[in-house]
Amino acid sequence: RDRGIGSDLHELQLGSTSSSERITSLAIRTLSSVKEQVQTQMQGVGASDGLRPEERQVIERACVGLHSGMKVYGFISTLFDVKYIGQDTEKLAAVLSHVAGNRLSCLVINQFQATNLVRDFCRKQNVKLDYWTLEFLQGRAKNPPLAFRIPSTLCEYAYDLLQPSRQVTELVERGQMQQDEVERSLLPLLLEVFSNTIVLKTQAEAEHYRIQCKAHNIRVGRIVSLDGFDLHPSGVTSDKDNRQLKFSLKGMTVHFGALAPGYSVPLSACLEHLIQTDKLIDQLSPALEKAKAEREKLEEQRRQKQADVQQRFGVHLETSSIGAQQRRNKRNACATPHTGGNTRPRHEPAVVVAVITPSQPIHATSAIVKM
C-alpha cells in the first residue's frame, strides 16, 4: 500500500507538471494563431504588375538617375488595393482589373521630364512600358452620389471600392510620402480609370438597376457585376467569350491586390501587434521547455521506481491511469466500515476482495487475515 501511495504522489507531481506544460503550450499556440491572423490581415491577395525580374531591375536602375523632386510612384495595379467586401473580394479584384484594362500597366510618374528620362533608359534596355505623367492629368469632377441604390447588396462606384495599397501605406508610415500627396496626386487616377462605372453583385441586379434608372430618368454610366456581366451606357452587352469580364484572378498576370479582412487597422498597429506577440512567445518558450524537462525527469524517476519495485518484490507497479484508479478504489474500499457486526482492529492488515458480476455493480468486502 505504501508503494501505491508513493506512486500516486509521483503521478500527482507528473500530472501537475503535465498540466503546466499543457497550459503553457496552449498559450503559445494561441499567440501563434493571433500572429498568423495579423500576418494574414497584412498580406491579403498581393497585386501583380506582370513584370519579369529583369524588367523590374531595369526600372529600378532608371530611377536612380532621377533629379530631386522627380518621383516614380509605381504601376496603377500596385498603387491601389480592392477593399474587403467578404467572400467576393477576389472576384471584385478581377472584375475591376479587367475594367481598368491597359491603364492597369501604366507606370505613374509625377513630372514629364522624369517620364522622358525613364523612357529613354528603358528603351535602350529594350524594355517597353506604358507611362502616365501626373503633370498632364487634367482632373475630373467627382461623380455625384448615386441617385438610386438597391438595398442590402453591393452597389457602388468602382473607384469607391479601391483604396491606397499596402505599398503606398507603408511609404506614408515611413514618412517617405505625405498623406495629402496621396489624396492630391494618386486618388484622382481612380476617377480617370473608372469614370462613372458602377459595380453590382449579379447580372440580375445590374439589369434591375438599369431598368429602375431608366424608369426614373436617371443617366448612368457603365454597369458591371461580379459574375462578369458588362452593360455599357448605350445599352450594348455581349455574350461572346472575349467580351465577358473576368471574375477570377486565375491566369491574370496584371491585377489589383485584394485586402484581407480587418486591414482597416493601420500597418503600424499590425506591426506593433506582431512585435508584442513575438515578445510573449519568447517569454513563454523557456517555461514550456522547463515543464517538458521536468516531466521527462519525473517519468524517468517513475520508470526507475517501477524497475526497483519489480526487482525487489517481484511486483509490477501499475503505470496507467486505470491502474492508479484501481488502487484508489481499493483503498477507498478498505476505509469503508465493516458491516459484519465485528469491529476490525486497526492494527490488523486487511485484504480487499472485489466481486464483479455482469449484471451487478462492484461489491467490496473485507476479510480479516491473522498474521
Side-chain angles (χ1 to χ4, degrees):
R1 181 174 179 180
D2 290 339
R3 292 195 300 271
I5 293 174
S7 179
D8 280 351
L9 289 174
H10 197 276
E11 288 173 0
L12 184 60
Q13 288 178 318
L14 184 59
S16 176
T17 303
S18 298
S19 297
S20 175
E21 180 183 348
R22 286 195 298 272
I23 292 171
T24 308
S25 179
L26 176 61
I28 290 179
R29 287 199 304 272
T30 302
L31 288 170
S32 298
S33 176
V34 171
K35 179 179 178 180
E36 183 178 348
Q37 291 175 12
V38 174
Q39 289 174 329
T40 299
Q41 291 175 2
M42 294 175 66
Q43 292 170 1
V45 177
S48 174
D49 54 22
L51 293 177
R52 298 190 302 272
E54 56 269 24
E55 292 176 328
R56 192 171 289 107
Q57 291 174 4
V58 169
I59 297 174
E60 291 174 356
R61 282 157 46 202
C63 296
V64 172
L66 295 181
H67 305 306
S68 177
M70 297 181 177
K71 291 187 177 181
V72 176
Y73 292 104
F75 292 90
I76 292 290
S77 63
T78 63
L79 293 178
F80 303 99
D81 282 331
V82 170
K83 295 179 181 179
Y84 181 76
I85 62 167
Q87 62 182 3
D88 292 325
T89 302
E90 288 191 34
K91 288 185 179 180
L92 178 62
V95 168
L96 294 186
S97 297
H98 196 167
V99 171
N102 293 334
R103 287 165 292 188
L104 203 63
S105 301
C106 287
L107 183 63
V108 180
I109 304 176
N110 67 336
Q111 298 178 12
F112 179 59
Q113 184 180 0
T115 300
N116 283 339
L117 290 173
V118 174
R119 286 184 65 191
D120 290 343
F121 187 92
C122 290
R123 280 186 295 192
K124 290 177 181 178
Q125 304 298 321
N126 200 31
V127 174
K128 298 179 180 179
L129 303 171
D130 294 321
Y131 300 89
W132 197 332
T133 305
L134 295 181
E135 187 178 350
F136 294 153
L137 186 63
Q138 298 183 27
R140 179 193 295 263
K142 193 171 183 178
N143 298 323
L146 291 174
F148 170 73
R149 288 179 178 273
I150 299 179
S152 303
T153 188
L154 177 66
C155 183
E156 299 287 348
Y157 283 119
Y159 57 74
D160 282 334
L161 293 170
L162 293 108
Q163 65 185 48
S165 67
R166 291 177 294 272
Q167 170 185 309
V168 174
T169 304
E170 289 171 4
L171 292 175
V172 174
E173 292 284 342
R174 294 197 297 262
Q176 296 176 319
M177 182 183 296
Q178 299 300 317
Q179 183 61 38
D180 64 340
E181 183 180 0
V182 175
E183 297 174 359
R184 183 182 67 255
S185 301
L186 298 185
L187 291 182
L189 291 171
L190 292 176
L191 194 55
E192 290 291 333
V193 172
F194 294 105
S195 185
N196 52 3
T197 300
I198 300 172
V199 182
L200 290 101
K201 267 198 171 183
T202 66
Q203 176 177 340
E205 291 178 353
E207 292 173 336
H208 174 68
Y209 185 86
R210 188 66 180 85
I211 290 171
Q212 291 301 313
C213 288
K214 175 65 175 176
H216 292 84
N217 198 28
I218 300 173
R219 295 183 62 86
V220 292
R222 185 179 183 180
I223 301 175
V224 299
S225 64
L226 301 187
D227 53 9
F229 181 67
D230 188 2
L231 179 60
H232 287 258
S234 61
V236 175
T237 187
S238 176
D239 287 329
K240 294 181 179 179
D241 291 340
N242 61 347
R243 297 290 299 276
Q244 293 291 302
L245 293 176
K246 293 181 179 179
F247 51 92
S248 171
L249 292 177
K250 185 178 180 180
M252 296 186 72
T253 57
V254 183
H255 58 77
F256 288 114
L259 291 183
Y263 192 75
S264 57
V265 177
L267 181 64
S268 58
C270 290
L271 293 175
E272 183 63 26
H273 287 319
L274 289 180
I275 293 171
Q276 294 301 325
T277 302
D278 282 336
K279 286 182 178 178
L280 289 173
I281 291 176
D282 290 341
Q283 292 172 4
L284 288 172
S285 295
L288 179 60
E289 294 302 319
K290 181 179 179 181
K292 287 181 178 179
E294 185 66 21
R295 173 176 54 80
E296 292 172 357
K297 179 181 177 181
L298 289 171
E299 288 178 343
E300 179 60 28
Q301 291 176 354
R302 183 172 65 176
R303 286 192 292 268
Q304 291 176 358
K305 184 175 181 180
Q306 290 170 1
D308 291 343
V309 169
Q310 190 171 7
Q311 183 177 3
R312 293 174 59 188
F313 301 101
V315 177
H316 180 67
L317 192 64
E318 299 100 323
T319 59
S320 68
S321 59
I322 295 177
Q325 183 62 42
Q326 289 175 344
R327 289 198 305 277
R328 285 191 288 272
N329 291 341
K330 290 178 182 179
R331 286 196 297 274
N332 291 337
C334 288
T336 304
H338 186 63
T339 58
N342 298 323
T343 303
R344 177 172 57 83
R346 292 174 59 85
H347 66 276
E348 293 181 351
V351 175
V352 176
V353 180
V355 182
I356 304 175
T357 60
S359 59
Q360 296 178 348
I362 297 176
H363 299 279
T365 60
S366 299
I368 305 301
V369 180
K370 297 293 184 181
M371 303 300 292

